[in-house]
Amino acid sequence: MGGVKIAIDAASATAPFEQLRAQIAAQARAGTLPAGYRLPTVRGLAEQLGLAANTVAKAYRALESDGVIETRGRNGTFVAAAGDAASREAATAALDYARRAQRLGLDRDAALAAVHDALRATYMS
């Protein structure tokens, strides 16, 4: 697996695809897997981890949807410039939220309070 260090805990309540997704995402964020790093093929990683290919494919699809990895057709799957993709996606989500809060008639303070509550609930858990 080269630079990819994955440990799947079969006894965990967390599904194997989610364990895989979370570990790759964390390694990409930490820079352990740098942007441009070529990930193993779905089949190759499934074989190495003792998982079904569909499990790895599901994790890769979720990571691609999150902008953490990108598939370049037959050239393979690579770690994306996650910071850029994550920042763009967060900015888009924030703009969508702000517009919706305004349409709902919330003033700026109420909209910010809702965001603070959501962030507190999400990051404190």
Side-chain angles (χ1 to χ4, degrees), residues 66-81:
D66 292 344
V68 175
I69 65 172
E70 58 189 12
T71 302
R72 300 177 190 164
R74 292 180 183 238
N75 292 321
T77 302
F78 298 83
V79 174

Side-chain angles (χ1 to χ4, degrees), residues 29 86 90 114-125:
R29 276 193 309 275
V115 168
H116 286 288
D117 289 346
L119 288 171
R120 191 172 20 264
T122 301
Y123 285 92
M124 297 303 265
S125 56

